[in-house]
């Protein structure tokens, strides 16, 4: 932590700051510049110290040097984390595609979608049973009966499954059914929920909050990791900006940045990022080109009859076309598309 | 709901859209313009219909005409809502100031603050027992023992109390102690939590989410209102923008806008909006000048020793100075500062 | 400037950085922390150095300590700048109101508006002759004939006048007629234009860019100041955020922040900040309460017939009502409303 | 244009609106809904009408149906525009890469860079002679002598050249030397400058403004097109958001969106979008995968000695590596990398 004093501060003010630092057992290291005196704080600092020092007379600003997250940081954990489940590895050489309907509506809808996406090359089945909805008057999902359908269809098609959990008290219930617990963007800073999914040892897919920067996102991951759950997958799904043509703005740079600063796998969700089906394929390909470890794609047999998020869902045909383009893109990045499990073990 | 067809769409496409509208029991009303054909949808539309129609061939855009919130809307409830508790009315002629420390640290800290803010003219005591923190390594509050202190100090100083609730499972516990349940910005779209506070009949102060627009904010209020709880107070506390000099950007226009589109009272929290103590008083005065029904202000006996958010807390002296300026501003808006209860009933 | 090295960087990397610093005649000051080695750069640094050092192996980040603007900074010029013109002082004890139509349409429109706003207490007359328009198909202003009308009406009503200049080649022309040159938000980083208005010695009102932070805004002022023109007035007129209910989001905190970091006067333009007439008065009052030195307000005899920005213009009646509320607000800040000149000298 | 009346508006208010519409020679078409009466405006509307109608009593909102840009719109010009210069086509089947230093510093620097990027497969040479700089104390470019160097090096290496023009009065000068005039992000709404480059018949590369939405960007293009210059290339270079880890946030969705709504070619500038060299290649590949027609890349022989924007410049080695990955990505989109001209005509 570095304390920058104001131009023209007094010697007393400098002494006051160094005394305060030493009073709590840390060392102060003064460096006299032309315009500014700068005081380095040596020792184990805690985040609240920044606030305390910033209020002292003569202080211009306090600059933290250490990153506030540790477990999520590549500096402290240089090797890539690979999240493994039922023969699928997320974060390795292969691009993993998770596909399915936004909301589970019926067994027929789910089964036909699962079969179609698996045939096209998807490895993991997604489907929402508990749906966060902006309005209290919208369809909120089938709840546990939806989870049951998802589990059955996953079993039948031999696909691992992923679904969202919204309430801390539902974590055990959802964890009973699914292979990956999904935390939605609106819950990225629901710290109680993060603690709870951290306590399970299930893989967790953590979506970036609509207005969360990289540090806040990794601190949210830190909540889960600090509970002893190392199986965290990050998911870029768009941030909120002034541009309203798309539902959100997919921050494509998140992919190489997370790869640089963290060891956790990163996937992209172009369906929620854009809210428009015709943008999903171009952005899915862009994400793979940028180095994403996987994709989360909404697919629906009849998007215009969907109970949720129809306009951002791909038809079976569009999904097949997208999947046919991924291997070439992956190849340019020395990677390949994961092969669905059932095709491996007959 | 209005469907705008693309320039040069075919007659078949128009018929397809009108058929779809009529199939679900609504009426379609066609209007032929120079460049665009426009189809009005008459009858009780549901939000999902927009998505469905937008996917049909030949459709350029679908524009919703009705507002998605009803109970929170001034159109449906023209008279101002006043939230009353223990002799204090929020949303009437008087400006209500809620003040206290960000986090409850000890009985001494809380009591001295309560006495100081009350003497200066604050009506309601605020204090955090459950604290949402960006990092898992920061102080998360005293929990129930903090609530007990708050209740005791509130009793002793004869001040109603407000505190945040973060977990759906804590709602009953927190509601047992406090007069107003506070929903933090990060939980504005924690729909499970909104349902739970809606089920209590306690007043709820609902902070605006960091990246929430007015419609989303009022829909969050609608979650609470639709559970039968009419005692909702809205609180502007800054939104996230590209400007990082302040923690957030206080959207001062929220005050007259909410007054126009909703009947719910609106207060401002300049402490969280700015994150810097020297901006709190100017922005508090600005909020009153813009028409706010009240203020939420952080005050701490020793801001530079605070366990949370010290830099945005006012000292007792600064708070007194602020309170001395409010009556004149209020007068320009034909309002006055609420007088603390104990001064009324001796 | 401070160079933070990566955790675990090598001694060679540290030496390489210090050598590079010393090669250009500066001194390096090493400070060894627990996690990070930090190197202070002492001497006269130039902005490009940051970029150069950031690319060296082993460097984590480079943090500038000095502010990049000097002439606009309060640190280097502690006393308030007051901009004086024809008996009006902007930046002193008095609140100065500049009012008039968005676009000059005719002599009748301008004269009736000038007379009305002056009678209500406005001191300076505003009016656009060169209008920046988002679309090439919109009314772009009357040009020089508009300036002539403005000068005549200003003469007749004894009001100083302000108008926008958009092209570097028009600066002399506009400066011939007006008392204050206005630089619009879209031109805040039109550096050629800034240089040109800097070369005149006329007062310049510099609007904040739609997506400019405080540092960029003050650097734009620095362009003008560094040409020797000290008469710069800053104007907050809203920034672009995700909220689209208002045209822009007025950043009310800009007022106390500019007052703290700069000596230049700061005024607010609630008309452009909101784009809606019914928000203009509440935000104008808020700006004065927050400490603004003045206001820029659009007034039109018949807003619904205006050729530009009608919806954000006040009628004469609404403007009179607003002006009647300002003195009380100003009083709470120990200031008063400036009295129009002609009322002083008969 | 559609006028939505307030719930419960009076018959008089409706008549007043329709009368106003008919008074200016347009037709009004009333449609009575359950909650709202909606009035369609038929005929040739002008943008100002929206403002005028919005102010009438009883009106809730006015919704424009037509897009305000015509010449830039795909609806009015369905076929792709291809911009051709010296044997290079932008907007056709081939991906065109424009590369070179941010600022021209010397003939040696420019020539060595030109030779290196051409050998790696770049088709067009970029280099800045007039540099927009946030601070008046930064290097502003070599001006005309830089343009001369650029022209000579372009001649020597047989590469078309592109360079930025900042001042309306410099347009003729810059146009004399370059093949493509570049309009920077800060000048996207410098309408005087847009008019001037529109009057030349030279190809113009128009960068998206930092806070400009798609409509404003296309309206800026419309300024150029409406002067009779059809050779406009759009360039996505990042928008300003709350995320400050990158200099800007590259809006990858801009690529497929522009392709859908406009016939103009679209290229991406990942160097300015991110400000960090290690993000340039992943985002360049992502842009090609998303369908971009070309790339604008900063390359410098010694990025850590560059006078401008060193941290975002690729070294020759990094650029060669990037160029080697593009053909595979292009192939997945049924496109190929353009072959530099000199290799065609010996």
């Amino acid at each position: 932590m570095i304390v920058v004093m104001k131009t023209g501060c007094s010697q007393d003010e400098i002494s006051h700051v160094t005394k305060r630092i030493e009073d709590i057992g840390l060392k102060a290291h003064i460096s006299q510049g032309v315009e500014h005196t700068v005081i380095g704080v040596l020792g184990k600092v805690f985040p609240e110290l920044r606030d305390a020092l910033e209020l002292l007379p003569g202080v211009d600003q306090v600059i933290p040097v250490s990153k506030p997250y540790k477990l999520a940081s590549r500096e402290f954990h240089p090797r890539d984390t690979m999240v493994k489940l039922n023969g699928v590895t997320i974060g390795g050489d292969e691009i993993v595609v998770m596909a399915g309907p936004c909301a589970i509506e019926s067994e027929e809808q789910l089964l036909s979608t699962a079969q179609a996406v698996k045939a096209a090359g998807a490895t993991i089945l997604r489907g929402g049973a508990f749906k966060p909805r902006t309005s209290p008057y919208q369809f909120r999902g089938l709840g546990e009966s939806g989870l049951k359908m998802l589990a059955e269809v996953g079993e039948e098609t031999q696909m691992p499954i992923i679904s969202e959990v919204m309430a801390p008290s539902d974590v055990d219930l959802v964890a009973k059914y699914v292979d990956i617990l999904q935390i939605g963007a609106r819950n990225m800073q629901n710290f109680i929920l993060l603690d709870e999914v951290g306590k399970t040892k299930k893989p967790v897919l953590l979506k970036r909050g609509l207005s969360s920067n990289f540090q806040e996102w990794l601190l949210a991951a830190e909540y889960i990791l600090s509970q002893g759950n190392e199986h965290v997958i990050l998911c870029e799904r768009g941030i909120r900006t002034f541009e309203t043509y798309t539902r959100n703005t997919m921050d494509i740079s998140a992919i190489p940045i997370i790869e640089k600063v963290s060891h956790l796998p990163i996937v992209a969700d172009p369906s929620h990022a854009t809210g428009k089906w015709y943008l999903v394929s171009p952005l899915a390909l862009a994400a793979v080109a940028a180095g994403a470890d996987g994709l989360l794609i909404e697919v629906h047999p009849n998007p215009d009859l969907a109970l949720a998020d129809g306009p951002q869902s791909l038809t079976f045909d569009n999904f097949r076309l997208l999947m046919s383009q991924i291997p070439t893109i992956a190849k340019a990045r020395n990677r390949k598309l994961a092969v669905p499990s059932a095709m491996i073990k007959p």
Side-chain angles (χ1 to χ4, degrees), chain A residues 133-140:
Chain A
R133 302 310 303 259
T134 305
S135 158
Y137 309 125
Q138 287 175 297
F139 175 61
R140 298 214 220 169

Side-chain angles (χ1 to χ4, degrees), chain A residues 160-172:
Chain A
I161 58 176
I162 176 172
S163 199
E164 178 164 356
V165 57
M166 289 172 64
S169 57
D170 287 342
V171 169
D172 288 343

Side-chain angles (χ1 to χ4, degrees), chain A residues 3-19 30 32 35-39 56-60:
Chain A
V3 182
V4 180
M5 302 298 294
K6 285 181 184 157
T7 304
C9 69
S10 72
Q11 195 51 50
D12 270 11
E13 287 169 339
I14 295 174
S15 305
H16 187 203
V17 172
T18 56
K19 185 168 179 320
I30 299 179
Q32 203 82 37
E35 280 176 16
H36 291 279
T37 296
V38 167
I39 305 172
L56 297 183
V59 172
D60 184 55

Side-chain angles (χ1 to χ4, degrees), chain A residues 126-174:
Chain A
R126 58 149 294 157
F130 295 100
K131 301 297 305 167
R133 302 310 303 259
T134 305
S135 158
Y137 309 125
Q138 287 175 297
F139 175 61
R140 298 214 220 169
L142 295 178
E144 188 171 2
S145 69
L147 289 176
K148 275 185 195 154
M149 286 181 204
L150 188 63
E152 285 164 17
V153 170
E155 182 65 30
E156 187 167 339
T157 56
Q158 285 290 305
M159 296 177 90
I161 58 176
I162 176 172
S163 199
E164 178 164 356
V165 57
M166 289 172 64
S169 57
D170 287 342
V171 169
D172 288 343
L173 174 75
V174 180

Side-chain angles (χ1 to χ4, degrees), chain A residues 66-311:
Chain A
S66 300
K67 289 171 187 67
Y69 50 88
K70 302 282 170 201
L71 303 174
S73 162
R74 195 176 276 281
E75 272 192 75
F76 289 78
H77 183 307
R79 291 232 318 251
D80 285 351
T81 283
M82 298 188 198
V83 175
K84 295 179 188 193
L85 49 134
N86 298 359
V88 182
T89 300
I90 301 167
D93 287 342
E94 298 181 335
I95 312 293
V96 174
V97 177
M98 319 182 198
C102 181
I104 299 164
E105 296 164 17
S106 71
E107 191 126 9
E108 297 82 326
Q109 169 237 26
L110 188 61
L111 182 58
S112 67
T113 307
Q115 288 167 336
V117 299
K118 179 153 190 174
T123 321
I124 295 175
L125 179 63
R126 58 149 294 157
F130 295 100
K131 301 297 305 167
R133 302 310 303 259
T134 305
S135 158
Y137 309 125
Q138 287 175 297
F139 175 61
R140 298 214 220 169
L142 295 178
E144 188 171 2
S145 69
L147 289 176
K148 275 185 195 154
M149 286 181 204
L150 188 63
E152 285 164 17
V153 170
E155 182 65 30
E156 187 167 339
T157 56
Q158 285 290 305
M159 296 177 90
I161 58 176
I162 176 172
S163 199
E164 178 164 356
V165 57
M166 289 172 64
S169 57
D170 287 342
V171 169
D172 288 343
L173 174 75
V174 180
K176 205 173 70 185
Y177 290 101
V178 306
D179 298 287
I180 308 178
L181 290 161
Q182 178 180 317
I183 301 291
R186 282 169 190 75
N187 280 319
M188 194 204 84
Q189 292 196 316
N190 183 336
F191 303 118
I192 311 284
L193 183 61
L194 297 178
D195 279 345
E196 287 306 310
V197 298
K199 286 176 196 157
T200 75
K201 301 300 172 240
K202 285 263 168 173
V204 177
L205 183 138
L206 177 66
K207 290 197 170 182
R208 181 180 184 181
L210 273 78
S211 61
S212 296
N213 61 30
F214 295 117
Q215 183 167 303
E216 291 161 343
W217 192 11
L218 290 170
L219 279 167
E222 193 89 1
Y223 264 90
I224 302 170
L225 296 166
S226 67
Q227 293 287 350
N229 186 344
E230 297 168 7
H231 313 297
V232 177
I233 304 153
L234 299 171
C235 177
E236 165 66 30
R237 44 79 72 214
I239 57 174
R240 184 155 275 192
T241 71
F242 66 81
E243 178 58 74
T244 55
Y245 190 93
T246 42
R247 186 186 292 188
N248 299 285
T249 299
M250 188 164 106
D251 183 359
I252 186 80
S253 71
I255 294 163
I257 289 169
I258 289 296
E259 195 187 327
K260 184 183 170 71
V261 302
S262 177
H263 52 91
L264 297 172
I266 168 96
V267 305
D269 173 355
S271 306
H272 282 90
T274 62
K276 296 186 191 288
W277 70 267
Y278 60 84
L279 298 174
V280 170
S281 289
L283 268 59
L285 297 174
V288 175
D293 295 304
L295 296 168
L296 201 59
I297 307 274
E298 291 192 359
V299 179
H300 194 282
N302 298 94
D304 61 342
L305 295 176
L307 294 183
D309 288 341

